[in-house]
Amino acid sequence: MMRPLLASILITTSAAAADFRQILDTHCLACHDRDAKKGDIDLESILSDDIATHSETWEAVVKQLTARHMPPVGKKRPDEAGYAEVVNKLTAELDRQPPKLVAGPTLRRLTRVEYQNAVRDLLAVDFDAKAAFPTDEISHGFDNITVGDLPPALLDRYITAAQKIARQAVGNSDKPEITSIRVKSDITQEYHVPGLPLGTRGGVLIPQVFSREGDYDVQIRLQRDRNEQVEGMNGPHDLQILLNREVKAEFTVKPAKDKNYEKIDAHLKARLHIPAGQHDVGVAFLPKGSPVLERLRQPYKASFNLHRHPRLSPAIYQVTITGPYDAKDAGDTPSRRLIFGSGSNDAKAVLAPILRRAWRRPVTDEDLARVLPFVKEAQDFESGIESALAAILVSREFLFRTETKLDDAALAPRLSFFLWSSIPDDELLSQRPLDVEAQARRMLRDPRAKTLVTNFADQWLYLRNLDSITPDARLFPDFDHNLRESLRTETSQLFEDLIKNDRSVLKLLRTDRTWLDERLAAHYGIPHIYGDRFREVKLEPEWQRGGLLRHGSILTVTSYATRTSPVIRGHWILKNLLAAEPPPPPPNVPALDGVISESLPIRVRLAKHREMAACASCHNLMDPVGFALENYDAIGRWHADADSRGGFADGSTFDGVAGLEETLLKRPELFVTALTEKLLTYALGRGLEASDAPAVRKIVRRAKENGWKFSEIIAGIVTNPIFNHRDTEGTENRNR
């Protein structure tokens, strides 16, 4: 009975009446029979079995056929209608099976981002977890997958962090503390810094919570070159220290006449009286006209390197804040309002709501009994609360997410860590039964949903890699950290706009708008954009900007330091935009550089590379896709004279980024499937398996029916049993 069914599945529209064996021989069995078994796929041996029995194999077949990777180019292939019929009939049978709920990790430690956000939402303390804890290991593209252990060294850091956070939140300590803020060495400080007063240049803006009113010393150290000489000292320069944009101290720095450069900034120290609470400490220079060196060509925007693009004026290296001295009583800070806002001196009344939010569940008397002794044994009430808060922050219930049983109590934090990378709010913790879709839509409207930009999108699109990218200064002398941040902001703004305005996710691929400041506009060659404020810009076709594939951030992280890389760019597109990642290279494959003459054009070099049998199978997929972006150099600038002809594995060809975008948009479900798989991996905290594919297809179908809106993908994820482990939907709804 199975062979007629499979015949109907595998028959293409052009050969509907052909013999079943002939169709298999023509399209599949020549490579995937018992003997050949290419790719370790043997279809001949499973033909007589139920499809569900070998769902993993058939899902692999669906993936290859959907991407048009099989049959290989050069072999006899079905037409588009034939592909669609095969895939539709296969997926219909696979989707008819009951969902298999795969258990993810039951115990998962908070990542650095989650810890930082949780502390912010729990105690209103801005804590820099990146500086305090080591980098989280990445798996399946995200850092929230393999975080199940707690090494002793990390536990020590958690204890230190908890004590510091609790001390800042309560504000009970009057002992002076030292906070040092360093400015990155590759930041150009010749222009206005956002947040500082207009009419200033360079410097740094430091948002700081002062837990006690008192006197604080602010000390400044200037940037030095490798010879320990202060950079840019070409005359006297005026410097200001500001508190909430109000000038509190002024200095003048002058060149050292006796070559003693330690004296230049030794006097840059002031004692300020600062009330308790949130304040902005600023340090900035007053400009001295336009510091432009005389050059034959237009001067570079970057000025931070002694030998290639020296600083034109002094720059800030470090600001150190020490205090409080002569501390007053703790003031009205956001943290104290959150902790002591009820005005109660009952430790149970103070700690119970904090425990509930920290441990993400109802609190019992036994729970309170674990922390109340810290208050009873302390010398005073506030010191006891501080000790209890530190204990809460190092407790297993706070540091780890436990998902042994996904009832509403466990589903609330799963939802909040997915959309906010943080603890649930009171509404999530209180609503019973939990309406996951309504809550998800509410949470997407909350400012905390920006973490989908800074945490999810940053990892999916490799924006985090920008910090480690340093293009060759000889070839790209105008690249500095200012440009790096502008590149990142443009892409972040596009994704943030998608969430805030609930747009179609296809806008990520092609759009006629972007966000620019003066620096990025100059980099792209777009005129009439001035100032450091990012603003939405309507794009002209000749500017060659728009969707993700035209963003300098993406083009930079998919290049080498000295040149573009069609291989990296093609791999990035296949993996992140099409869910068709090529297999990893076999061992001992020689690198391109050093084996093939570097004097040859990149297209010729890669063609020779593909002549190696071990390389061809993957590079035939990646290289033609990456070539479409060759009009953009290694830092995303447009060059019209490049050869940007490209193509896909199905034999289709296109010219340049516009042709690539057009080809992707002809089959939007491929991109939406890739995005859905990434979001699901991030939401579940595990890699996806073949049994998850029906759920992915259901979410994509829902998105298609609703204009590919981002919120529909999110709603499809959180209402699916794969996420919430609820199975209240009937078979008909499950397969809509």
Side-chain angles (χ1 to χ4, degrees):
M1 294 178 63
M2 196 62 193
R3 285 183 179 270
L5 173 61
L6 286 172
S8 68
I9 292 174
L10 292 168
I11 287 177
T12 67
T13 56
S14 60
D19 178 74
F20 175 60
R21 174 61 60 183
Q22 181 181 351
I23 298 300
L24 288 178
D25 288 343
T26 301
H27 294 298
C28 304
L29 292 190
C31 296
H32 300 292
D33 59 5
R34 290 186 180 92
D35 297 326
K37 204 177 180 181
K38 285 192 176 181
D40 203 29
I41 299 292
D42 174 13
L43 298 181
E44 185 180 22
S45 298
I46 65 175
L47 291 180
S48 59
D49 298 334
D50 184 72
I51 286 181
T53 307
H54 305 281
S55 60
E56 187 171 347
T57 300
W58 288 115
E59 288 290 1
V61 171
V62 168
K63 202 170 188 67
Q64 292 294 321
L65 294 178
T66 301
R68 306 297 191 259
H69 287 177
M70 291 293 165
V73 174
K75 301 286 186 180
K76 188 172 182 180
R77 298 162 63 94
D79 57 19
E80 277 302 307
Y83 269 115
E85 182 179 356
V86 172
V87 171
N88 290 341
K89 290 186 177 180
L90 260 179
T91 54
E93 183 64 24
L94 290 165
D95 293 350
R96 205 170 286 127
Q97 310 305 318
K100 296 180 181 179
L101 303 183
V102 180
T106 57
L107 195 67
R108 189 184 313 142
R109 176 171 47 82
L110 300 187
T111 66
R112 295 191 305 182
V113 171
E114 291 169 344
Y115 183 96
Q116 181 170 307
N117 291 347
V119 167
R120 176 202 65 201
D121 295 340
L122 180 67
L123 297 174
V125 172
D126 288 325
F127 176 73
D128 187 1
K130 183 184 292 187
F133 307 135
T135 303
D136 297 308
E137 182 181 348
I138 291 182
S139 178
H140 299 282
F142 298 100
D143 60 9
N144 64 342
I145 309 295
T146 55
V147 282
D149 59 341
L150 184 59
L154 183 56
L155 179 58
D156 288 341
R157 295 196 184 193
Y158 276 135
I159 294 173
T160 301
Q163 292 171 339
K164 180 177 181 179
I165 293 166
R167 188 164 57 247
Q168 181 174 336
V170 175
N172 192 49
S173 173
D174 58 1
K175 295 180 180 178
E177 294 187 357
I178 300 175
T179 302
S180 295
I181 299 91
R182 286 187 178 178
V183 181
K184 288 182 176 290
S185 60
D186 59 346
I187 290 181
T188 298
Q189 297 189 37
E190 306 298 337
Y191 311 102
H192 175 254
V193 172
L196 290 175
L198 295 174
T200 63
R201 69 140 189 101
V204 61
L205 181 68
I206 307 166
Q208 183 85 355
V209 174
F210 295 87
S211 55
R212 299 290 292 269
E213 180 181 356
D215 295 333
Y216 291 82
D217 286 340
V218 180
Q219 185 164 11
I220 301 164
R221 185 170 173 81
L222 301 179
Q223 290 275 5
R224 286 162 166 77
D225 59 26
R226 65 183 65 179
N227 300 318
E228 286 301 308
Q229 298 181 7
V230 175
E231 299 176 288
M233 284 303 301
N234 50 14
H237 291 267
D238 295 327
L239 176 68
Q240 295 179 337
I241 298 178
L242 306 104
L243 183 68
N244 301 325
R245 301 173 64 89
E246 181 182 345
V247 177
K248 292 295 184 180
E250 295 185 270
F251 307 92
T252 299
V253 291
K254 300 178 181 180
K257 296 181 179 180
D258 57 358
K259 303 296 183 181
N260 186 347
Y261 291 95
E262 289 301 316
K263 291 182 178 180
I264 289 181
D265 54 9
H267 66 294
L268 302 182
K269 183 176 182 179
R271 177 163 291 192
L272 311 181
H273 186 82
I274 302 178
Q278 173 84 41
H279 300 284
D280 289 335
V281 177
V283 178
F285 290 93
L286 296 179
K288 294 179 60 178
S290 180
V292 178
L293 296 181
E294 207 173 309
R295 296 170 176 165
L296 293 176
R297 299 180 180 180
Q298 182 177 350
Y300 296 126
K301 295 285 187 180
S303 297
F304 66 87
N305 180 283
L306 173 64
H307 297 291
R308 302 208 175 275
H309 23 59
R311 293 192 187 276
L312 308 181
S313 308
I316 304 300
Y317 167 66
Q318 178 175 285
V319 178
T320 303
I321 302 173
T322 307
Y325 300 102
D326 190 22
K328 310 299 181 184
D329 291 338
D332 181 24
T333 66
S335 297
R336 288 185 62 84
R337 286 197 298 272
L338 194 152
I339 298 168
F340 302 111
S342 65
S344 173
N345 287 327
D346 179 9
K348 185 175 181 179
V350 171
L351 293 174
I354 296 175
L355 265 181
R356 177 172 178 259
R357 287 182 287 121
W359 290 358
R360 287 90 73 179
R361 60 170 175 78
V363 176
T364 65
D365 290 338
E366 289 77 12
D367 296 330
L368 286 166
R370 291 169 52 184
V371 296
L372 288 177
F374 290 98
V375 182
K376 295 177 181 177
E377 297 168 6
Q379 59 183 2
D380 59 67
F381 179 71
E382 292 195 357
S383 296
I385 295 297
E386 179 183 317
S387 298
L389 291 178
I392 291 171
L393 293 177
V394 294
S395 64
R396 176 179 61 83
E397 291 85 351
F398 176 75
L399 292 176
F400 286 86
R401 295 168 53 193
T402 305
E403 296 181 349
T404 53
K405 180 183 178 183
L406 267 184
D407 53 11
D408 280 352
L411 191 54
R414 168 173 270 211
L415 193 59
S416 70
F417 279 104
F418 170 34
L419 299 179
W420 290 346
S421 295
S422 185
I423 56 177
D425 60 5
D426 287 334
E427 184 171 339
L428 263 181
L429 289 172
S430 302
Q431 188 184 63
R432 295 295 180 270
L434 188 63
D435 187 339
V436 289
E437 180 171 350
Q439 288 293 337
R441 293 185 183 278
R442 175 186 70 87
M443 294 170 70
L444 286 174
R445 296 189 297 268
D446 190 283
R448 283 170 286 188
K450 190 176 180 180
T451 191
L452 286 170
V453 179
T454 58
N455 201 21
F456 167 74
D458 269 16
Q459 296 184 80
W460 168 44
L461 301 175
Y462 297 2
L463 297 185
R464 284 190 179 181
N465 295 359
L466 274 172
D467 289 331
S468 61
I469 298 293
T470 305
D472 190 305
R474 294 169 298 177
L475 300 174
F476 308 103
D478 212 16
F479 190 94
D480 57 7
H481 189 72
N482 310 58
L483 180 57
R484 182 185 289 120
E485 285 303 303
S486 292
L487 292 170
R488 187 201 314 272
T489 301
E490 178 193 23
T491 307
S492 297
Q493 291 274 25
L494 174 63
F495 202 84
E496 184 177 356
D497 177 73
L498 180 85
I499 297 172
K500 287 174 64 175
N501 296 296
D502 196 17
R503 302 191 192 279
S504 163
V505 297
L506 302 185
K507 291 292 185 181
L508 294 173
L509 293 180
R510 186 164 64 187
T511 179
D512 62 353
R513 295 185 177 274
T514 195
W515 286 259
L516 303 173
D517 64 353
E518 180 178 349
R519 182 64 194 281
L520 188 56
H523 182 68
Y524 287 165
I526 296 177
H528 312 308
I529 305 294
Y530 302 105
D532 48 49
R533 177 183 61 86
F534 269 83
R535 79 292 313 260
E536 187 175 353
V537 176
K538 180 75 164 60
L539 295 170
E540 300 295 336
E542 61 267 22
W543 295 342
Q544 300 296 336
R545 298 296 160 181
L548 290 175
L549 295 173
R550 302 170 186 254
H551 277 213
S553 59
I554 305 300
L555 297 161
T556 300
V557 298
T558 55
S559 297
Y560 289 118
T562 56
R563 63 171 175 85
T564 63
S565 174
V567 177
I568 298 177
R569 288 177 174 179
H571 184 274
W572 185 92
I573 292 169
L574 292 174
K575 178 181 179 181
N576 294 294
L577 303 187
L578 295 174
E581 181 181 8
N588 303 320
V589 173
L592 186 63
D593 295 334
V595 177
I596 300 172
S597 174
E598 296 184 19
S599 63
L600 295 173
I602 188 64
R603 190 178 286 268
V604 177
R605 295 173 66 193
L606 287 173
K608 290 185 174 294
H609 195 64
R610 292 194 297 273
E611 291 175 0
M612 306 176 191
C615 306
S617 60
C618 293
H619 282 270
N620 283 337
L621 302 177
M622 298 183 294
D623 298 358
V625 181
F627 282 134
L629 304 181
E630 276 298 280
N631 286 116
Y632 298 97
D633 69 8
I635 57 174
R637 295 176 301 190
W638 172 262
H639 298 284
D641 56 351
D643 183 356
S644 58
R645 293 169 296 135
F648 279 117
D650 61 358
S652 62
T653 59
F654 43 80
D655 191 3
V657 64
L660 174 56
E661 290 171 342
E662 187 67 32
T663 303
L664 293 176
L665 289 170
K666 286 179 180 177
R667 300 179 63 204
E669 66 278 357
L670 294 179
F671 170 67
V672 180
T673 295
L675 175 56
T676 301
E677 288 184 357
K678 292 294 182 180
L679 281 166
L680 259 178
T681 301
Y682 177 78
L684 300 176
R686 63 170 176 83
L688 299 189
E689 302 181 8
S691 58
D692 299 318
V696 172
R697 288 191 287 269
K698 179 183 176 183
I699 295 166
V700 172
R701 286 194 294 270
R702 172 177 177 152
K704 182 178 182 179
E705 293 167 3
N706 292 277
W708 304 113
K709 288 185 177 180
F710 182 77
S711 66
E712 293 301 327
I713 299 177
I714 297 297
I717 289 173
V718 302
T719 56
N720 197 287
I722 196 176
F723 179 85
N724 59 41
H725 286 208
R726 294 173 176 173
D727 195 15
T728 59
E729 302 171 290
T731 304
E732 181 179 350
N733 287 334
R734 188 163 52 236
N735 296 301
R736 56 186 277 258

